């Protein structure tokens, strides 16, 4: 792998428009460099930095996009409150020598008259697709746009949003987008809570309870090694979360690791997925079996 264009740890090149982005990438291409994209909504944390590290191993030049995508937020969701600490984000990217940051304005991504939606069927029928109507259309639309804007060799997505990862793999394959999709495991706090930009909104007492999500996933997944009655294990998981102080559980389900259909057999590769509310905040997590 060649050294980074940003070998000194100075600020990444900043692209505020698709034109800037393409100019930067065209120069890299001229130099024979391979290019990787790490799409984010900003409010960068250790989880994003892990994605950056993996990408830097795979390609010569890494670009991080920062865009809070309005199309993936439901009407009652937290679009307006979503954190946007741009300066801090850029400083973090400089500290890990990311080569460029793409930070477009919403009006540029979705100008007046924008009328295309990318919709992936099948994988979107369950879990977050069912509970957050329109969410994955918003994700699929922005990711398709980012991939076509940057035309990178590779892009990476975290396993915390495992359903999102599978949907992106599907759309890339269906639309013949020439990009390699990588994934990285979930980054966790020392108490097991999956790291997320939204964790900062948990009250101190909810933050203390929140690791129960991962602990419950782990304990029910462990039971599933010998007990194949997945539906009854799921009910036990939901009860355990409610007892731990979660006020509602959207889903707690064993699902096939590729199709996301409900898991039925012990010999199938599967994951256990959960989404639950604490203090009005929705947390998601999953574990492999
Ligand atoms: O996972 C995210 O942060 C977002 O869904 C993504 C992939 C950047 C699209 O907005």
């Amino acid at each position: 792998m060649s050294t980074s264009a940003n070998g000194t740890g100075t600020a990444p090149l900043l692209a505020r428009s698709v034109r800037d982005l393409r100019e930067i990438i065209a120069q890299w291409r001229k130099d024979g460099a391979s290019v990787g994209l790490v799409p984010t909504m900003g409010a960068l944390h250790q989880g994003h930095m892990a994605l950056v590290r993996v990408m830097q191993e795979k390609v010569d030049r890494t670009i991080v996009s920062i865009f809070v995508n309005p199309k993936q937020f439901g009407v009652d969701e937290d679009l307006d409150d979503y954190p946007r600490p741009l300066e801090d984000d850029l400083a973090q990217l400089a500290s890990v020598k990311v080569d460029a940051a793409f930070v477009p304005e919403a009006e540029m991504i979705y100008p007046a008259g924008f009328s295309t939606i990318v919709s992936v069927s099948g994988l979107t029928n369950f879990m977050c697709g069912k509970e957050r109507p329109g969410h994955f259309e918003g994700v699929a639309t922005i990711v398709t746009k980012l991939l076509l804007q940057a035309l990178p060799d590779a892009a990476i997505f975290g396993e915390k949003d495992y359903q999102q990862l599978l949907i992106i793999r599907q759309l890339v394959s269906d639309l013949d987008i020439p990009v390699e999709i990588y994934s990285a495991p979930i980054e966790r706090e020392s108490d097991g809570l999956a790291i997320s930009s939204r964790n900062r909104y948990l009250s101190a007492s909810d933050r203390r309870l929140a690791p129960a999500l991962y602990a419950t996933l782990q304990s029910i997944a462990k039971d599933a090694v010998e007990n194949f009655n997945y539906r009854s294990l799921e009910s036990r998981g939901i009860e355990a979360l409610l007892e731990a102080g979660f006020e509602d559980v959207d889903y707690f389900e064993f699902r096939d690791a590729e199709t996301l259909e409900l898991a039925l057999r012990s010999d199938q590769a599967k994951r256990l997925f959960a989404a639950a509310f604490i203090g009005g905040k929705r947390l998601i997590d999953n574990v492999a079996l």
Side-chain angles (χ1 to χ4, degrees):
M1 212 57 37
S2 71
T3 52
S4 166
N6 191 359
T8 55
T10 51
L13 296 170
L14 185 58
R16 300 301 304 227
S17 67
V18 178
R19 195 177 160 164
D20 292 351
L21 174 76
R22 288 189 170 146
E23 268 175 26
I24 292 169
I25 293 173
Q27 187 56 53
W28 291 344
R29 295 288 187 200
K30 247 193 226 161
D31 300 341
S34 58
V35 177
L37 175 70
V38 184
T40 80
M41 296 209 301
L44 302 178
H45 50 60
Q46 227 177 294
H48 297 112
M49 293 303 125
L51 299 179
V52 166
R53 270 196 309 277
V54 174
M55 189 49 77
Q56 286 174 325
E57 293 285 306
K58 306 278 180 200
V59 296
D60 302 311
R61 300 284 178 264
T62 296
I63 182 151
V64 172
S65 63
I66 298 179
F67 179 64
V68 182
N69 173 35
K71 287 204 187 294
Q72 69 187 77
F73 288 77
V75 272
D76 298 329
E77 294 183 358
D78 56 348
L79 173 62
D80 291 340
D81 297 335
Y82 200 85
R84 290 165 172 85
L86 184 58
E87 266 185 36
D88 181 60
D89 286 350
L90 293 176
Q92 284 194 64
L93 297 183
S95 74
V96 295
K97 300 180 180 169
V98 160
D99 301 291
F102 176 41
V103 189
E105 294 293 339
E107 301 73 46
M108 179 170 299
I109 296 291
Y110 301 120
F114 184 91
S115 27
T116 299
I117 290 289
V118 179
S119 177
V120 176
S121 59
L123 288 168
T124 49
N125 292 342
F126 329 105
M127 303 192 291
C128 291
K130 193 161 150 241
E131 301 296 335
R132 301 181 68 191
H135 169 68
F136 284 126
E137 279 82 0
V139 171
T141 303
I142 190 62
V143 171
T144 304
K145 278 184 69 93
L146 291 168
L147 292 177
L148 294 177
Q149 287 165 345
L151 289 173
D153 298 289
I156 187 163
F157 300 86
E159 287 182 354
K160 173 157 181 290
D161 296 296
Y162 190 85
Q163 188 173 13
Q164 165 175 286
L165 169 67
L166 293 193
I167 289 166
I168 290 165
R169 285 193 196 285
Q170 181 76 45
L171 82 83
V172 160
S173 157
D174 288 350
L175 300 179
D176 301 312
I177 303 180
V179 61
E180 178 100 24
I181 300 296
Y182 292 104
S183 63
I186 300 175
E187 291 287 311
R188 299 187 178 280
E189 303 286 1
S190 54
D191 57 10
L193 179 65
I195 294 180
S196 159
S197 306
R198 289 180 167 113
N199 289 350
R200 65 184 76 187
Y201 295 130
L202 294 171
S203 69
S205 61
D206 291 339
R207 174 64 189 81
R208 278 194 295 278
L209 295 179
L213 184 59
Y214 179 52
T216 307
L217 283 167
Q218 273 188 312
S219 124
I220 299 286
K222 198 160 150 241
D223 291 349
V225 174
E226 292 189 342
N227 177 353
F228 307 141
N229 188 341
Y230 301 125
R231 304 297 84 81
S232 94
L233 289 173
E234 288 164 357
S235 305
R236 268 180 37 205
I238 293 173
E239 270 167 41
L241 287 177
L242 296 174
E243 262 168 41
F246 282 81
E247 61 255 20
D248 198 8
V249 180
D250 264 355
Y251 55 80
F252 190 95
E253 292 169 344
F254 289 92
R255 289 195 171 262
D256 185 281
E258 277 176 27
T259 64
L260 295 184
E261 296 285 348
L262 275 179
L264 301 170
R265 303 185 327 271
S266 59
D267 63 349
Q268 172 181 30
K270 47 189 155 324
R271 293 180 90 98
L272 179 56
F273 296 91
F277 286 89
I278 193 158
K281 305 287 179 281
R282 187 173 185 275
L283 304 184
I284 63 170
D285 200 349
N286 69 86
V287 293
L289 269 87

